[in-house]
Amino acid sequence: MNFLNIKYKLLSLSIALILLALILSFMILSQSLNEKRNYELTKRYILESSVIANVIHYMQIERGLSSGFLAKNNLDEIDTKLLLAKKDLSEAISKAKERYKTNHLSKEENLLKLLNEIELDRSNIILSTQNISHVQNYYSQKIDSLLDYVATIPTFMDDRENRNFIQALVYLSSAKESLGVIRATLNRVFIENKLSTNDYATIKGSFKNYNHNLNIFKNSVSDEFLKQFEKIFKGSCIDDTFAIIELTIADAHSENSFTTDPDYWFELSSQTINLLNKIEKNLFAHVNRAIDGELNTIFYKLALLTLFWIIGIITLISIT
């Protein structure tokens, strides 16, 4: 009889321990599933930010080439670079729209509306009938709207570490936009050989914003990525680009003519902006690798927990 009592007590203790282990594993399983959802959501936001950044980049190129095309006043000629830029932007907008249409989230309806609006406007605009300032302002306003949307993305993210990377992207994109404004403005200035008071204010203000946002970006990223930035963002094209900007600001009130060739300036500044675009892409790739690593870890954790649950339940049934 004592033997049976001991046996029942051992069985009860075993059942209790197994139940406790199953409850604890269930709690860990729930936590892991929640982490998995958060990382998957973060990855989706990364992809969304990436397609918007792509649209912004090609809008910046099209803005600069469009204002240059109008400033040259050879409206009967065909600008092959501008046509190629228009094609690239159209493809970027289509990819962005396709990306957002698959999500069906209400918060993204305004973005889809904006992308559709940009696409429609571009198809209806007859560039030869437009004013240069109007064209530049139009592109700048739409780019600012897209940047404003990207700036809201970190607020939806629970993953703090990667949220900081996206916030850093906002600063980098803002710096790149400031440089894009300077590229378009100086391209027109060098073509017309005339620097107005508004142009001077635009260049000087944009240059200040560029330095401000780039410094915040550098302080926002990890030391590892900062080294990567410094490795990429260097070269004679950068030195020459900023030398021309600073010289233009310094000689704003001089009566001397500008000697910088517009095509040379546009190509030079584009090389600098493309390096910033490369850093943007590296930033996306860096975060994606980190998220994929976390998702792989969670996958194996979930597999082990599921296996443990199956074994635990079978053991519990057998004992019962």
Side-chain angles (χ1 to χ4, degrees):
M1 195 71 179
N2 289 334
F3 173 74
L4 288 176
N5 285 335
I6 293 172
K7 181 180 179 182
Y8 288 134
K9 286 179 180 179
L10 287 172
L11 286 173
S12 299
L13 181 61
S14 299
I15 291 171
L17 289 172
I18 292 173
L19 284 172
L20 180 62
L22 288 174
I23 291 170
L24 289 173
S25 64
F26 177 76
M27 292 172 65
I28 297 172
L29 185 66
S30 299
Q31 184 182 8
S32 297
L33 286 171
N34 188 50
E35 288 177 355
K36 181 174 179 290
R37 283 191 293 269
N38 285 337
Y39 279 118
E40 286 174 342
L41 189 62
T42 298
K43 184 161 186 175
R44 201 198 72 192
Y45 284 136
I46 297 296
L47 293 173
E48 289 179 359
S49 302
S50 176
V51 293
I52 298 175
N54 212 33
V55 171
I56 290 172
H57 180 68
Y58 288 114
M59 283 192 74
Q60 290 166 338
I61 295 174
E62 188 169 302
R63 174 183 55 195
L65 290 172
S66 296
S67 61
F69 173 74
L70 290 173
K72 288 177 181 177
N73 205 25
N74 296 325
L75 304 181
D76 294 330
E77 293 186 3
I78 296 176
D79 191 325
T80 53
K81 288 184 178 179
L82 180 56
L83 291 176
L84 181 61
K86 286 182 174 293
K87 180 183 176 183
D88 289 338
L89 178 53
S90 295
E91 290 176 357
I93 292 173
S94 296
K95 288 178 181 178
K97 287 171 62 178
E98 191 63 32
R99 173 69 201 168
Y100 282 96
K101 283 178 181 177
T102 59
N103 292 324
H104 304 295
L105 294 179
S106 58
K107 75 178 183 64
E108 292 163 352
E109 288 178 2
N110 289 334
L111 179 71
L112 280 172
K113 183 179 178 181
L114 177 59
L115 291 172
N116 285 327
E117 186 180 307
I118 293 171
E119 192 171 46
L120 182 62
D121 289 344
R122 291 174 63 249
S123 65
N124 292 331
I125 288 176
I126 300 175
L127 192 59
S128 58
T129 64
Q130 300 298 311
N131 176 274
I132 298 177
S133 296
H134 173 76
V135 169
Q136 282 190 235
N137 290 336
Y138 170 79
Y139 280 96
S140 296
Q141 288 170 5
K142 297 305 180 186
I143 289 171
D144 285 342
S145 296
L146 291 171
L147 285 172
D148 287 342
Y149 180 83
V150 175
T152 66
I153 288 179
T155 63
F156 301 112
M157 297 171 61
D158 294 326
D159 179 11
R160 182 175 179 181
E161 181 180 353
N162 292 309
R163 181 178 64 203
N164 291 339
F165 268 102
I166 298 301
Q167 187 61 59
L169 169 73
V170 175
Y171 296 125
L172 179 62
S173 297
S174 297
K176 188 162 78 73
E177 167 57 6
S178 295
L179 201 55
V181 170
I182 295 173
R183 173 177 61 183
T185 304
L186 278 183
N187 191 41
R188 176 172 52 79
V189 166
F190 293 147
I191 291 171
E192 297 177 341
N193 199 22
K194 181 178 64 177
L195 179 68
S196 68
T197 304
N198 287 336
D199 291 334
Y200 173 76
T202 297
I203 295 167
K204 192 170 183 179
S206 296
F207 194 40
K208 181 179 179 181
N209 288 336
Y210 165 82
N211 288 313
H212 174 71
N213 284 302
L214 195 68
N215 286 332
I216 299 177
F217 163 76
K218 290 179 180 179
N219 292 327
S220 301
V221 295
S222 63
D223 291 339
E224 177 190 353
F225 193 82
L226 185 59
K227 289 178 182 178
Q228 192 176 146
F229 166 82
E230 291 171 347
K231 184 178 179 180
I232 295 172
F233 198 63
K234 64 179 181 180
S236 59
C237 67
I238 297 171
D239 297 334
D240 293 344
T241 296
F242 292 116
I244 290 172
I245 294 172
E246 290 169 354
L247 186 62
T248 304
I249 293 173
D251 290 347
H253 304 295
S254 173
E255 295 182 358
N256 295 327
S257 299
F258 295 106
T259 57
T260 303
D261 179 68
D263 292 333
Y264 170 75
W265 157 252
F266 195 89
E267 180 61 30
L268 185 69
S269 56
S270 294
Q271 289 177 28
T272 301
I273 292 173
N274 287 341
L275 288 176
L276 291 176
N277 186 51
K278 183 178 179 180
I279 293 165
E280 281 184 341
K281 291 181 183 299
N282 283 10
L283 187 60
F284 288 127
H286 178 86
V287 179
N288 264 325
R289 284 194 298 270
I291 293 171
D292 286 340
E294 294 291 345
L295 286 172
N296 285 334
T297 301
I298 292 172
F299 171 80
Y300 290 116
K301 186 191 292 186
L302 290 173
L304 288 172
L305 287 169
T306 303
L307 181 62
F308 177 79
W309 251 75
I310 293 171
I311 294 172
I313 290 172
I314 292 172
T315 304
L316 188 62
I317 292 171
S318 301
I319 292 174
T320 304

